[in-house]
Amino acid sequence: MTTVGIIGLGYVGLPLAVAFAEEGCKVIAIDLDERKIEAIEGGQSYIGDIPSKRLSELLDRISASTRYEELARADAVLVCVPTPLSVNREPDLGPLMDSMRGLARVLKAGQLVVLESTTYPGTTRERVAPLLEESGLVAGSDFHLAFSPERVDPGRTDFTLRTTPKVLGGLTSACADRAQALYELVCDEVVRVSSPEAAELCKLLENIFRSVNIALVNELAMLTDRMGIDIWEVVEAAASKPYGFMRFEPGPGMGGHCLPVDPFYLSWRAREFDMSTEFIELAGKVNQQMPYHCAALVQRALNHAGLAVRGARIAVFGVSYKSGVGDVRESPALKILELLGELGAELRYHDAYVPSIPEQDLASVSAEQALEETDLALIVTVHPGVDYELVVQRAPIVVDLRGVTRGSVSTNVVRL
């Protein structure tokens, strides 16, 4: 029976632990957050894509701990720790390096180590391998090392861990063979590339592609706002072309664990090669500017009604970064709330997926409560189960940043 160790039990690590356990593997799940360990031991999932019932049925195969020593028993160890940006928008590999030091202390000959955390090309070979080799073992000879980027899209049901092709690149061909054999247990298709660097860059390309195209349509949304053209009508018409066009829609900016972060990893790495990735960096700037444009849109809508932002009662609908999930990491809604709060608005919000926002000292209220005596309803994230027709009917002014009210002919709606 294969024993799989997993370091980092977040939105990537916990689903992997469940998937391998369902295939009959023993799983050693490691995280420094004792709350996660207690939750797993109690069969309580904290990840939306993993129902507690599914987790609780596998507790005889999943052992959770904060102790790296447990990993000495694993045949393979998958590393799924966060790789955020620093305050200066540079890669912060601190959590990853700490986990590698912990693993190096217990690494055994013959083990497979796979890094899944998103990072810049060269990390696996230049940063991870040397740390693990402090164990006295040689990467690619005494133990196997590979990179396989996570491709999780939280809340998505049409493409899952099993049905999304798994990219991987090994330090050697034998490393790739071992990694492929492991992932074929839980993935229908494995896509091998020639090196860890190619696999690392693959993940960045995927998200930079989205970042650039979202920035393009967002920049057009700001332009069409000044030109008096409906950007949603333009996108709809362009999308009718059966080739050569891929639909991207405007919005309040980018959020989540990948899109706002990953492009900066490549931009930072490019500078080490004396190159400036101006195209990528420009896309990041445009998307970071969108919350300011959206706040200005709210201010203008209130002005047209003879109201000031200061003292205006604004009901925000949806604060997570995407539909159907409760993740607020890098969510543009938080910046919009901050900007409107600084202008003196009285804020409330409705989001069934996000019970509270401690930073703003706000707690979610029902849609009906949010609409009581409100001056303006601001739709930032579209969640299932929300009656947006009711929002249009009840709110004196509606600012729609997601185009969900496109079918409405009401004169009180302002769209991005």
Side-chain angles (χ1 to χ4, degrees), residues 273-293:
F273 291 85
D274 297 323
M275 181 174 176
S276 175
T277 52
E278 297 179 18
F279 201 67
I280 296 170
E281 291 172 21
L282 177 60
K285 290 177 182 177
V286 171
N287 288 322
Q288 287 178 344
Q289 187 62 32
M290 283 307 294
Y292 293 89
H293 175 72

Side-chain angles (χ1 to χ4, degrees), residues 45-51:
S45 173
Y46 44 85
I47 301 296
D49 293 344
I50 302 295

Side-chain angles (χ1 to χ4, degrees), residues 1-277:
M1 179 184 296
T2 300
T3 300
V4 180
I6 296 176
I7 303 175
L9 302 177
Y11 71 94
V12 177
L14 184 60
L16 278 170
V18 168
F20 279 107
E22 287 177 335
E23 293 305 315
C25 298
K26 284 287 187 181
V27 176
I28 303 169
I30 304 296
D31 200 289
L32 297 181
D33 188 342
E34 293 184 357
R35 294 171 299 179
K36 291 180 179 177
I37 303 304
E38 292 173 1
I40 292 173
E41 290 177 338
Q44 297 300 310
S45 173
Y46 44 85
I47 301 296
D49 293 344
I50 302 295
S52 293
K53 183 177 185 299
R54 185 179 172 193
L55 173 63
S56 63
E57 292 174 348
L58 298 167
L59 295 185
D60 60 330
R61 297 179 194 161
I62 300 176
S63 61
S65 174
T66 60
R67 301 177 64 252
Y68 276 71
E69 288 77 8
E70 302 292 335
L71 296 171
R73 299 184 287 110
D75 300 301
V77 179
L78 311 183
V79 183
C80 312
V81 299
T83 47
L85 294 175
S86 70
V87 293
N88 296 321
R89 312 298 286 179
E90 294 183 346
D92 178 7
L93 297 185
L96 175 59
M97 296 299 98
D98 288 343
S99 67
M100 291 300 98
R101 293 185 187 97
L103 179 58
R105 292 195 298 269
V106 299
L107 190 66
K108 302 297 182 184
Q111 284 183 319
L112 165 68
V113 178
V114 185
L115 176 61
E116 290 220 359
S117 306
T118 303
T119 187
Y120 58 83
T123 301
T124 304
R125 189 184 303 271
E126 299 169 13
R127 300 295 302 276
V128 170
L131 271 180
L132 293 178
E133 287 178 340
E134 291 182 3
S135 64
L137 302 175
V138 178
S141 176
D142 299 321
F143 69 93
H144 299 286
L145 181 61
F147 181 85
S148 181
E150 57 88 2
R151 284 174 147 180
V152 175
D153 190 1
R156 189 158 197 154
T157 56
D158 51 348
F159 290 101
T160 63
L161 173 63
R162 176 161 290 283
T163 60
T164 301
K166 196 78 171 86
V167 173
L168 68 85
L171 200 63
T172 66
S173 180
C175 293
D177 289 342
R178 278 287 303 273
Q180 180 171 349
L182 177 70
Y183 281 114
E184 283 178 343
L185 296 175
V186 295
C187 301
D188 290 341
E189 180 181 358
V190 173
V191 179
R192 283 178 60 161
V193 292
S194 61
S195 65
E197 290 82 0
E200 289 161 339
L201 185 55
C202 171
K203 175 60 185 295
L204 297 185
L205 173 59
E206 293 170 16
N207 287 329
I208 289 169
F209 174 82
R210 287 185 53 78
S211 172
V212 167
N213 281 281
I214 290 171
L216 173 63
V217 75
N218 277 339
E219 189 168 65
L220 286 175
M222 290 186 276
L223 174 62
T224 54
D225 178 53
R226 297 190 183 189
M227 298 175 72
I229 299 172
D230 184 349
I231 183 62
W232 299 99
E233 180 184 13
V234 174
V235 170
E236 197 78 40
S240 68
K241 188 176 183 179
Y243 59 91
F245 182 83
M246 182 175 291
R247 179 176 184 139
F248 285 84
E249 296 184 346
M254 295 191 308
H257 56 279
C258 288
L259 294 187
V261 175
D262 294 359
F264 290 99
Y265 265 72
L266 188 58
S267 296
W268 178 86
R269 181 62 164 167
R271 289 196 290 272
E272 294 191 346
F273 291 85
D274 297 323
M275 181 174 176
S276 175
T277 52

Side-chain angles (χ1 to χ4, degrees), residues 322-341:
K322 66 173 288 189
S323 174
V325 303
D327 195 338
V328 297
R329 284 176 294 177
E330 304 288 336
S331 173
L334 301 184
K335 186 64 179 180
I336 293 171
L337 284 168
E338 178 187 328
L339 294 170
L340 293 175

